[in-house]
Amino acid sequence: MPQTVHSSQLIVHRSAKKTVNREPVTVNRRQRRLGFTLIEILLSLFLIMALAAMLFSSSATLVQSRSTNLQSQATKIASKDIECLRNTTFNSLPGTCTFAQADLNKLPQANATRTISNYQSSTKIKQVSEDITWQENNNPRQIKMDTLIYEYGL
């Protein structure tokens, strides 16, 4: 079995082939690491930023979706009341008032007002204005719809 020697004790054997015989020197190149490498830290930061970006974009989408749903609900309430008024005879149209519908409870702190007046001083055409208001994140929101109802129909 070959004997392990220090690198300063290299033995060179001369032979016809002129080869150098060196004994293997073992070096412990892998020492125990303390901490993280720069690549590991950068990858972690990139992953955290990507997750934060996804969270912020999805929360913005949720807020926009909720706002759109509330506007859609308010438009549905006003449209339903206008269609109900169109099915009413012209002479029995009510005046200005607040009204309540079952769907009005779906809007936070909602209020609905209907205004009916003569259109440009004509007694044969009525202008109907529906005004739906509600609170969204302590901000007042409003949808207003106007239509004309003619005495003899469309």
Side-chain angles (χ1 to χ4, degrees):
M1 179 168 170
Q3 183 182 11
T4 305
V5 293
H6 192 268
S7 62
S8 64
Q9 298 174 346
L10 289 177
I11 302 171
V12 178
H13 298 280
R14 293 189 184 245
S15 65
K17 295 182 182 177
K18 295 186 179 180
T19 61
V20 175
N21 186 11
R22 294 185 185 192
E23 297 293 329
V25 178
T26 59
V27 178
N28 186 7
R29 293 179 188 233
R30 192 153 180 97
Q31 295 178 355
R32 189 170 177 209
R33 296 186 317 173
L34 297 176
F36 299 102
T37 64
L38 182 61
I39 296 294
E40 291 171 336
I41 292 172
L42 289 176
L43 286 176
S44 299
L45 287 175
F46 177 75
L47 182 64
I48 290 170
M49 289 190 304
L51 290 174
M54 286 189 291
L55 175 68
F56 290 138
S57 66
S58 66
S59 66
T61 303
L62 180 65
V63 169
Q64 183 64 32
S65 174
R66 175 169 164 66
S67 177
T68 302
N69 287 341
L70 292 176
Q71 288 177 347
S72 173
Q73 192 65 36
T75 304
K76 179 181 170 186
I77 291 168
S79 296
K80 191 185 279 188
D81 190 58
I82 287 173
E83 288 306 312
C84 182
L85 290 174
R86 287 187 186 278
N87 294 330
T88 306
T89 59
F90 186 79
N91 292 330
S92 62
L93 287 173
T96 300
C97 63
T98 59
F99 64 95
Q101 283 188 3
D103 291 339
L104 203 57
N105 294 331
K106 295 178 182 177
L107 296 173
Q109 301 174 11
N111 189 16
T113 305
R114 175 190 317 128
T115 305
I116 298 178
S117 59
N118 290 336
Y119 179 69
Q120 296 180 350
S121 302
S122 173
T123 57
K124 297 184 183 213
I125 303 174
K126 298 280 186 181
Q127 180 176 6
V128 178
S129 296
E130 300 277 340
D131 190 22
I132 313 292
T133 58
W134 71 95
Q135 293 286 325
E136 182 181 351
N137 298 329
N138 293 328
N139 294 323
R141 302 286 186 213
Q142 177 182 21
I143 293 272
K144 186 170 185 175
M145 294 183 84
D146 293 322
T147 190
L148 298 175
I149 299 177
Y150 184 58
E151 181 179 13
Y152 302 111
L154 298 174

